[in-house]
Amino acid sequence: HAIVRPGPYICAEWHNGGLPVWLTSTPGIGLRRSEPQYVEAVSAYLRRVYEIVAPRQIDRGGNVVLVQIENEYGAYGSDHDYLRTLTELTRACDITVPLTTVDQPEPHMLAAGTLPDLHTTGSFGSRATERLATLREHQPTGPLMCSEFWDGWFDWWGGVHHTTDAAASASELDALLAAGASVNIYMLHGGTNFGTTNGANDKGRYAPIVTSYDYDAPLDESGHPTEKYHAFREVIARYAPVPDEVPPARPAAPVRSVALRATGDWLPAASAGAGAAVAPPTFEELGQLGPLVRYDITLPDEAFGDTDSAVLAFAEVRDLAWVAVDGAPVGRLQRALHERSLPIPRGSQLTVLVEDQGRVNYDARLGENKGLVGPVTLGGHELTGWSAQPVDLAAVAAGIPAASEQTTAGRAGLAGTFDLDEPADLFLDTDAWSKGFAFVNGFFLGRYWRNGPQRTLYVPAPATRAGANEIVVVELEHVVEPVAAFIAAPDLGHREE
């Protein structure tokens, strides 16, 4: 059976909460409310989705039992006219199964996030008896359901690896089932934010999500059972039949150490037509969907006055910027640390490489612009006349194996090959590197960062092959050692004790 939750806003710690950048960057658009441009786009999307869903409903011989309207809307807005528009569209598209909403069982969220004719479900991972009681207060009749039973949590760069006690999670599951509630486990199977699909949170401090979405789920990132899987299975067996088959434990992955050839600075040269923009354009204005943009500008000598340095200040950096003067690195600014300025030496050319570390997926900062946002000053003088060049990361990665320059100092590309007897899951140890992106056989594994907690990248078996395999690393800062190590098991980082 399937519960269809088409969003299009899904949260899920996914880039922009699942909303496409072309939509959220539309001038004047109002997200997740009764704004004509947004409603028109979402309606067109949902009509296409429901063309697929309608013939597959359970009352027509299919497997779809429920369809959800929006997603945790009470945590974002309270536009009931918007919810009504989505509900009426769904029914007009011949969806006849029950319609649901989901919100955290907080009174204000339950009141804001649903309508009287929609069945309300909850999202939570603890205090199950209390949460069900709150849900029942707002919905006196009908089935109780936790449609997102959070059995773990996600990680962000600079934080810890989150885990939940298997016995405690199983006890909460038992409480739900004992109450006769229906349960949808989030997550049953951990996953991966491959490429640059990770989202971010910002509740006063920007926190980009790591590449792994293992989530401490019953089935881990590579699909193998954990202690929590067996604990959940034991609980479920008290209430319903369970199959005899149990998935096998994760085997040790192949171990390899691969020497990498470092190919020097991979950053494309500044494009022609410098000074085309008065202010630095955002990623959206450039149409850049990738994670990197290079900004260049000629520095005015008068901004330094009689000194050999001056303070370079940005209105806002989204999200991480490497600053260089005349090609020499002078510093880095992190949005996560609220950094916006640094002193730079006298020079003639400023280069700023900016990384979009992940778009906010929850709450009010959905759809925000990326890049250098707002004016930039040097010694109090506004800098105008910028050039900006989107970096084609895929093209950069493809060109690294053929590059000839040999150096490991500073920003560098690295490439190497390794052999496998057959395709296999691998765990790539990133300890010898600083920050960047990794590819195996052209498959974009995602981001790595010494900031942690994540220490390995999951390489799924379908991305590998028997015989020769290629690894490419796009390093943004520097490598400690030009080597790629594949280890036997994942290392997702330190935990809170």
Side-chain angles (χ1 to χ4, degrees), residues 13-304:
E13 287 67 56
W14 190 261
H15 193 261
N16 227 20
L19 298 176
V21 174
W22 65 261
L23 175 67
T24 60
S25 61
T26 302
I29 197 165
L31 303 180
R32 302 179 70 192
R33 60 182 174 86
S34 298
E35 191 280 320
Q37 296 178 99
Y38 185 75
V39 170
E40 180 181 8
V42 170
S43 298
Y45 158 76
L46 288 175
R47 289 189 187 98
R48 294 294 299 274
V49 171
Y50 292 147
E51 287 175 8
I52 300 168
V53 174
R56 292 170 170 81
Q57 296 175 94
I58 195 166
D59 53 3
R60 298 172 208 188
N63 66 335
V64 175
V65 294
L66 299 172
V67 170
Q68 182 177 292
I69 301 297
E70 247 281 353
N71 186 59
E72 293 187 319
Y73 184 64
Y76 181 85
S78 58
D79 186 344
H80 287 176
D81 289 338
Y82 164 62
L83 293 179
R84 175 63 60 196
T85 297
L86 299 186
T87 301
E88 292 175 350
L89 171 68
T90 301
R91 289 303 189 201
C93 289
D94 205 22
I95 300 301
T96 52
V97 297
L99 305 182
T100 65
T101 57
V102 60
D103 279 293
Q104 298 171 47
E106 300 289 342
H108 69 283
M109 293 186 186
L110 293 172
T114 192
L115 297 172
D117 52 340
L118 301 176
H119 189 75
T120 304
T121 73
S123 56
F124 53 89
S126 62
R127 301 181 1 232
T129 302
E130 175 189 335
R131 307 290 196 186
L132 291 178
T134 302
L135 193 59
R136 180 55 81 209
E137 290 173 4
H138 286 260
Q139 186 166 252
T141 62
L144 290 169
M145 183 174 186
C146 177
S147 61
E148 282 192 17
F149 174 55
W150 304 330
D151 56 20
W153 206 242
F154 53 87
D155 298 340
W156 52 88
W157 295 114
V160 299
H161 174 47
H162 294 84
T163 60
T164 57
D165 180 73
S169 288
S171 178
E172 294 290 348
L173 176 62
D174 195 16
L176 286 167
L177 296 177
S182 295
V183 182
N184 182 53
I185 296 172
Y186 187 103
M187 302 282 294
L188 175 65
H189 187 331
T192 310
N193 297 312
F194 290 120
T196 56
T197 55
N198 66 281
N201 282 282
D202 192 331
K203 299 178 181 180
R205 179 176 179 177
Y206 176 74
I209 306 300
V210 304
T211 300
S212 172
Y213 202 73
D214 177 88
Y215 203 82
D216 196 36
L219 296 176
D220 68 15
E221 188 172 7
S222 61
H224 294 93
T226 65
E227 178 188 1
K228 193 174 291 178
Y229 172 88
H230 296 288
F232 278 22
R233 188 177 190 274
E234 181 180 336
V235 168
I236 292 170
R238 300 172 196 161
Y239 300 91
V242 297
D244 294 332
E245 181 185 6
V246 177
R250 184 182 65 236
V255 175
R256 300 281 190 281
S257 183
V258 182
L260 300 178
R261 184 173 64 91
T263 59
D265 192 352
W266 49 262
L267 185 63
S271 60
V278 174
T282 63
F283 281 46
E284 288 70 24
E285 290 169 329
L286 295 167
Q288 169 65 322
L289 298 179
L292 298 171
V293 168
R294 171 180 179 154
Y295 295 90
D296 288 273
I297 193 169
T298 300
L299 293 172
D301 192 63
E302 60 271 19
F304 291 95

Side-chain angles (χ1 to χ4, degrees), residues 301-311 344-347 379:
D301 192 63
E302 60 271 19
F304 291 95
D306 297 328
T307 66
D308 291 330
S309 65
V311 173
I344 64 171
R346 183 185 291 272

